[in-house]
């Protein structure tokens, strides 16, 4: 008969599990900073909309890309992906894996 405690003991002592936890903590902070950047972009885009009547195209593309990065981090943090986010892997693709229709 297999001892249930032996499996949990192995996970508890696994260096890979502890490294994953450390990176989860690190990427949690990175995601918080990225969300703050999204707020800054939103405020600046609103000001651009007030002044010029249209959004800043470069910031629109960067915001889209940053949203994909936050999605990549959230997938890692919720254990839906084992792929480490940027900078430990490539920057997320232009098109996200989830269904989303950006406004033109």
């Amino acid at each position: 008969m297999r001892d249930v405690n032996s499996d949990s003991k192995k996970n508890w002592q696994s260096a890979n599990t502890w490294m994953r936890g450390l990176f989860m903590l690190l990427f949690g902070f990175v995601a918080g900073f990225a969300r703050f950047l999204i707020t800054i972009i939103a405020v600046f885009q609103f000001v651009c909309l007030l002044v010029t009547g249209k959004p800043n195209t470069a910031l629109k593309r960067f915001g889209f890309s940053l949203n994909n990065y936050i999605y990549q981090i959230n997938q890692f943090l919720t254990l839906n992906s084992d792929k480490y986010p940027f900078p430990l892997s490539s920057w997320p693709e232009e098109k996200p894996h989830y269904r989303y229709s950006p406004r033109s």
Side-chain angles (χ1 to χ4, degrees):
M1 190 184 310
R2 196 172 89 184
D3 185 15
V4 175
N5 290 332
S6 67
D7 286 341
S8 64
K9 198 178 238 185
K10 288 179 186 175
N11 290 335
W12 178 256
Q13 295 173 343
S14 170
N16 289 338
T17 303
W18 283 103
M19 285 302 292
R20 169 94 187 204
L22 179 67
F23 279 111
M24 288 175 75
L25 185 64
L26 175 73
F27 282 116
F29 286 115
V30 170
F33 180 71
R35 288 182 191 99
F36 176 72
L37 281 177
I38 291 290
T39 303
I40 300 291
I41 291 169
V43 169
F44 189 77
Q45 286 287 51
F46 180 70
V47 170
C48 284
L49 192 62
L50 286 176
V51 173
T52 66
K54 58 184 178 182
N56 181 304
T57 306
L59 270 182
K60 195 173 174 183
R61 279 194 307 265
F62 178 66
F64 185 77
S65 179
L66 193 56
N67 279 326
N68 288 338
Y69 181 54
I70 292 171
Y71 177 75
Q72 186 184 54
I73 291 174
N74 287 338
Q75 288 292 96
F76 178 74
L77 292 178
T78 58
L79 301 178
N80 287 306
S81 172
D82 289 330
K83 182 180 175 187
Y84 284 80
F86 178 83
L88 300 176
S89 66
S90 61
W91 188 256
E93 298 175 10
E94 184 72 25
K95 294 182 180 179
H97 296 289
Y98 55 93
R99 292 185 180 150
Y100 173 73
S101 300
R103 294 175 64 185
S104 303

